[in-house]
Amino acid sequence: MPTLCCCSFLQGAGIAAVLCALQQQQQQQQQQQQECQLKSQHDQEGQLQERHHLQAQRQRQQQQQQQQECQLKSQHDQEGQLQERHHSQAQRQQQQECQLKYQHDQEGQLQERHHSQAQRQQQQQQQQQQQQQTQGHLQGQQEPGHSASGRKQQQWRPLSFRFAIMASGYAPASPALQQLLQSTSPLKMPSLHLLGCSDRQVGSGG
């Protein structure tokens, strides 16, 4: 009986030891599993943090790119506006230059017209003067006879004619002057008449 008890005791002790070892193994396995879970959780958290960090970096990069694109677009728009302004200014300057050139051309044309008109007027005046000179030369021969014949009728007291000298003088063609000469003829003053042999004007006039 005592041997059986010892054997049973030993068997019970061995089973207990085995059970303890199994419990220890289970505990170790649970700890390992927990550690693995914790490690996986930690790794997952690290990955999540890395993902969040990468996402934040990407968002920052995207924001920076968007800002740069907005800046470049604004610069491009400003450059386009400046180019449009310069183009409009150049067009205005060209229009002003064209207007000034047109005005200058018009002024030049007006000056040329005025110059040509002045030349024509001068020519006309010269022609009129020449005509007047020729008419005066022809009609001037009649003045002594007119003055002498109108002395009694008009009674020019300040003038007193004592004699008359007429070169190539002829009788006037005006009827009024002819009547005046007829009413005052004959003239009561000495007169000298100079006539040319080849003078056709005096021959045709008188």
Side-chain angles (χ1 to χ4, degrees):
M1 292 297 292
T3 55
L4 291 170
C5 289
C6 289
C7 289
S8 62
F9 178 76
L10 289 169
Q11 289 177 357
I15 291 167
V18 171
L19 290 172
C20 287
L22 290 170
Q23 286 179 355
Q24 287 178 357
Q25 287 180 357
Q26 288 178 356
Q27 288 177 357
Q28 288 178 358
Q29 287 177 358
Q30 288 177 356
Q31 285 179 359
Q32 288 177 357
Q33 287 177 359
Q34 288 177 358
E35 288 177 358
C36 289
Q37 288 177 356
L38 290 172
K39 188 177 180 182
S40 65
Q41 287 178 359
H42 183 72
D43 293 336
Q44 288 178 357
E45 288 177 356
Q47 290 176 359
L48 287 172
Q49 288 179 358
E50 286 181 358
R51 288 177 184 176
H52 288 300
H53 183 68
L54 291 172
Q55 287 178 357
Q57 284 183 352
R58 288 176 184 175
Q59 288 178 356
R60 288 177 184 174
Q61 289 177 358
Q62 288 177 357
Q63 289 178 356
Q64 289 178 357
Q65 288 178 358
Q66 288 177 357
Q67 288 178 357
Q68 289 177 357
E69 288 176 356
C70 290
Q71 289 178 357
L72 290 172
K73 187 176 180 181
S74 63
Q75 289 178 358
H76 183 70
D77 293 336
Q78 288 178 357
E79 289 177 356
Q81 290 176 358
L82 288 172
Q83 287 179 358
E84 288 180 356
R85 289 179 184 175
H86 289 301
H87 184 66
S88 62
Q89 287 179 358
Q91 285 182 349
R92 289 177 184 174
Q93 288 179 357
Q94 287 179 357
Q95 289 178 356
Q96 290 177 357
E97 289 177 356
C98 290
Q99 289 179 355
L100 291 172
K101 187 177 180 181
Y102 180 71
Q103 290 178 357
H104 184 70
D105 293 335
Q106 284 186 345
E107 289 177 356
Q109 291 177 359
L110 288 173
Q111 288 179 358
E112 288 180 358
R113 289 178 184 175
H114 289 301
H115 184 67
S116 62
Q117 287 179 357
Q119 286 182 349
R120 290 176 184 175
Q121 288 179 356
Q122 287 180 357
Q123 290 177 358
Q124 289 177 358
Q125 288 178 358
Q126 289 177 358
Q127 290 177 359
Q128 289 177 358
Q129 287 178 359
Q130 289 177 358
Q131 290 177 358
Q132 288 177 359
Q133 287 178 359
T134 54
Q135 289 178 359
H137 178 70
L138 295 174
Q139 294 178 358
Q141 309 302 327
Q142 302 174 3
E143 294 298 328
H146 297 169
S147 300
S149 63
R151 180 173 173 236
K152 291 183 179 180
Q153 186 174 359
Q154 294 178 358
Q155 295 181 359
W156 291 340
R157 292 181 181 178
L159 297 175
S160 58
F161 293 101
R162 296 182 181 179
F163 61 92
I165 299 174
M166 290 177 273
S168 299
Y170 57 90
S174 177
L177 292 175
Q178 288 181 359
Q179 291 179 0
L180 181 62
L181 287 173
Q182 290 177 0
S183 63
T184 57
S185 61
L187 296 177
K188 294 182 179 180
M189 66 171 60
S191 61
L192 175 63
H193 299 270
L194 301 175
L195 299 176
C197 295
S198 61
D199 193 350
R200 300 179 181 178
Q201 188 69 30
V202 175
S204 63

